[in-house]
Amino acid sequence: MPHVHITAALRNNLTYLKNSYAAQPFKVANVTEDKLENLLRLMLMSSSPGVLNKDDFKMDVNVEAGAALHCTTQGYQRIYTMQGRADLQMNVHMADNASMFYLPHPTVPHSGSDFSSVSNIHLQKRHQLIWSEIITCGRKLSGEEFLFRKFQSVVNIYVEGKLAVRENVLLEPFKRNIHAMGQLEGYTHQSSLMYLNTVADMDLLSALCLESLSGKEHIHYGVSALPVNGLLVRILGYKGEQLFDCNNQLASILQRKQKEALALL
């Protein structure tokens, strides 16, 4: 089982990569540019062309107290045609007053693929989290629109050991009409971005997110409150790059406001 392990910690008021291990085909690259900013920026890279039949990946991320970690990916994540299935398990543990921002590129499930992922995120009382995911219809320009067998992504967020949020996205185009009411309703791409922050004003942030998205064309979006102090931004569209840009713009807004919230902790 290919395994990635990352630990981010705080030293002299700056976040650094305390520990990193990545088995083939993975690699963890430190892409931090501003060495004076308390934010460690990492890129998850892979020498493999994508997810293959019977792949079973595991990733463990630890963010120690006061540390701030930003993770992105090398590029679009392709899930190739397979006879069986592939799986990913991701476990994130954040200590008190830790921050993590996870903004991966869109996922592209190819014809006949079957992929499931489970992400378990453990937060303490004081926390700051951005977690996003973008799912495409497949290789649209190659005529592979919704020809994958199954795509499932489950995100469980625990606060002080108790399950606070569960996001379960299940797409099975051959079992249910993907364009029906309550499904994608004609759109081909969907994005989810969750933001949790102990002290942030979510009413203000919801308004800022809606304002940021209001000028975008060819998308449909909404902002919902989470059971804890947080929000969920859902976007439907037709282009993965557009949704990726939207998520990064939203994250930038949320991170700027987060600095004000951190001053109150």
Side-chain angles (χ1 to χ4, degrees), residues 82-97:
M82 56 187 67
Q83 298 299 317
R85 56 177 290 176
D87 295 274
L88 167 65
Q89 181 179 343
M90 192 166 182
N91 299 305
V92 177
H93 292 268
M94 295 170 56
D96 193 45
N97 201 24

Side-chain angles (χ1 to χ4, degrees), residues 11 16 18 37 56 59 89 210 230 242 260:
R11 180 175 60 196
Y16 73 103
K18 182 178 180 180
E37 180 186 20
D56 189 3
M59 297 185 180
Q89 181 179 343
L210 290 171
Q242 182 187 29
E260 299 175 9

